Amino acid sequence: MAATDLPTPTVGPVSRLAPKPMRFVLNWGRRYSLWVFNFGLACCAIEFIAASASRHDFIRFGVIPFANGPRQADLMIVSGTVTDKMAPAVKRLYEQMPDPKYVISFGACSNSGGPYWDSYCVTNGVDQIIPVDVYVPGCPPRPEALLYGITKLQEKIAAEHLGDRYRSEQA
Ligand code: SF4
């Protein structure tokens, strides 16, 4: 049997029966240990770097920047202009991230194509190729906007059933 024939691991429907305190502890751990795969594609990536540096310091929220690669990451932050040529690479690296995984779209270009929305080569939003959990508006957004987006994502993680997350990824 080839490695690609192995069944996809799932958490399963039993996870819905997990007691609320157990779910709280599990989600508390997940929301404060997000390792970020930064997909920096244009000017917004500079603001992402500013948000991770000492002045804004998003590590204090339990968010660790610059994962070694997608296979170690929980969160992809797409910052900058997604082109049609780059889109397959974004999708491929997203698929290499382990479940459960999250995406923040950071900036107007990543949200909708931004100032280049009518260009022949620009993808009008990264959500056309991968699911997005949180959109951060702006051109570019300030680092504080990313911090706010991260807290919104953490609230979302705190409220979710892990099993639901796996099933939605497989749908
Ligand atoms: S949204 Fe604005 S600042 Fe961000 S990558 Fe696009 S053009 Fe640059």
Side-chain angles (χ1 to χ4, degrees), residues 42-45 79-81 106-110 113-116 138-141:
C43 7
C44 277
S79 50
T81 321
F106 184 60
C109 279
S110 177
Y116 315 112
C139 177

Side-chain angles (χ1 to χ4, degrees), residues 27-36 51 56-65 74-75 147 150-151 153-154 157:
N27 286 347
W28 180 83
R30 292 192 311 114
R31 71 190 286 202
Y32 293 124
S33 59
L34 293 167
W35 206 355
V36 178
H56 300 284
D57 186 22
F58 64 42
I59 298 178
R60 64 200 156 106
F61 293 164
V63 178
I64 311 159
D74 312 292
L75 168 62
L147 301 186
I150 288 170
T151 59
L153 178 64
Q154 289 175 326
I157 293 172

Side-chain angles (χ1 to χ4, degrees), residues 86-102:
M86 182 59 79
V90 175
K91 183 172 172 54
R92 183 170 186 178
L93 292 173
Y94 170 79
E95 288 169 350
Q96 290 179 5
M97 292 169 63
D99 287 325
K101 53 194 171 188
Y102 304 91

Side-chain angles (χ1 to χ4, degrees), residues 109-151:
C109 279
S110 177
N111 292 347
S112 63
Y116 315 112
W117 65 273
D118 59 348
S119 166
Y120 70 95
C121 63
V122 169
T123 306
N124 289 343
V126 73
D127 58 3
Q128 297 196 5
I129 47 175
I130 59 175
V132 171
D133 295 282
V134 174
Y135 298 85
V136 179
C139 177
R142 286 190 52 83
E144 292 89 339
L146 179 56
L147 301 186
Y148 184 71
I150 288 170
T151 59

Side-chain angles (χ1 to χ4, degrees), residues 13-34:
V14 179
S15 68
R16 291 194 68 82
L17 304 177
K20 199 171 178 183
M22 185 186 293
R23 189 155 50 90
F24 174 83
V25 172
L26 181 64
N27 286 347
W28 180 83
R30 292 192 311 114
R31 71 190 286 202
Y32 293 124
S33 59
L34 293 167

